[in-house]
Amino acid sequence: MSTLLDLPVLLRLQNLQLLSRVIAEGALAGLHRAAHHGSSVEFAEHKEYAPGDDLRHIDWRAYGRIDKYYVKRFEEQTELRGYLLVDVSGSMGYGRQDQITKLDYAKLLAASLAYLLLRQSDPAGLLLHSAEVKNYIPPRGGGAHLGDLCQALEGTKAGGATALADGLSFLSEVVRRRGVVVILSDLLPSPPEVSGLPGEVPIDYVSQYGALLRARLCGLRAQKHDVIVLQVLDADELELPFTGLTWFEDVEPGPSGLSRLFVDPADVRAAYQRELQGFLSEMRRGLREGDVEYHLVPTSRSPESVLLDLLRGPLRGRVRR
């Protein structure tokens, strides 16, 4: 058992299954209705025979009753491929000394989601990404594969710049069959390397970055994937609770090295929270318009409650008992 898997929590969730809004396509018998029809375990409907229909599916009993040829149609049950993208950039390593980091929190969620997918016979894949692809494990099934996924998660550390948009582009190229894509990230950008004072960035850089992310995420949804965004943030990032003069350091430094800023948080708290809330509101609104599911997930929240929201969300109707 991996240290990332909380057995009591998983036992409480074992009667819930992760279902997708989209019609899944796959080769294995699973829990999800496919877009095509054929011979399978679940009868769907009759249709009047037309030239070209498979004669093996003619309902001869119906012919005997009404003297017309009808063909049985069945809905195939196929697998749901799950892709878990975990942001492992430097900013995901933030967490106070006595608290869990954002990356460790994302690892717990990713491992639990992989377990739930594999338990319902659906393949799970993993992409670890910062400035580049750190590790990509294609979707597979089986208990041994769960070990591989957990080992990859346990072995990665936060570091490097953020290039989440590139990670989303990578996924859009490798994810061929429609499935569910779960992104676990703080969605925060790395400051661009610019001249001038340390920490200085173009005034519209954050909004441009947010627009790019939303475009890539909505693009995945337009490809008929079910896209779920879990924005993992620390309470410090949401509230800026520090008091007194404080050094703030950039955990994702550019080529010029570490940027530091010495300020009194009380002087910047209102402006900071205004900018942060604007960024979060734009992200939430843009993803909602693109039919992408979005959750703001503080690390102070129990992972179990986050999983329950995903598994029984009223807008998705995921739960099948």
Side-chain angles (χ1 to χ4, degrees), residues 105-126:
Y105 189 93
K107 288 179 182 181
L108 292 173
L109 290 177
S112 298
L113 288 170
Y115 168 85
L116 292 169
L117 282 164
L118 293 170
R119 184 183 172 278
Q120 65 189 38
S121 301
D122 289 322
L126 176 67

Side-chain angles (χ1 to χ4, degrees), residues 84-88 125-138 140 145 147-157 167 170-171 174:
L84 305 170
L85 191 167
V86 180
D87 179 2
V88 298
L126 176 67
L127 172 62
L128 303 176
H129 199 281
S130 58
E132 58 188 12
V133 175
K134 295 296 185 181
N135 197 352
Y136 173 63
I137 302 176
R140 289 192 293 273
H145 184 57
D148 294 338
L149 296 176
C150 289
Q151 185 176 13
L153 287 167
E154 290 171 343
T156 192
K157 296 181 179 180
F170 176 86
L171 271 186
V174 300

Side-chain angles (χ1 to χ4, degrees), residues 207 209-219 282-283 285-287:
S207 61
Y209 166 84
L212 175 61
L213 272 191
R214 293 193 297 273
R216 297 286 170 84
L217 289 163
C218 294
E282 280 297 302
M283 187 64 66
R285 180 190 59 78
L287 295 182

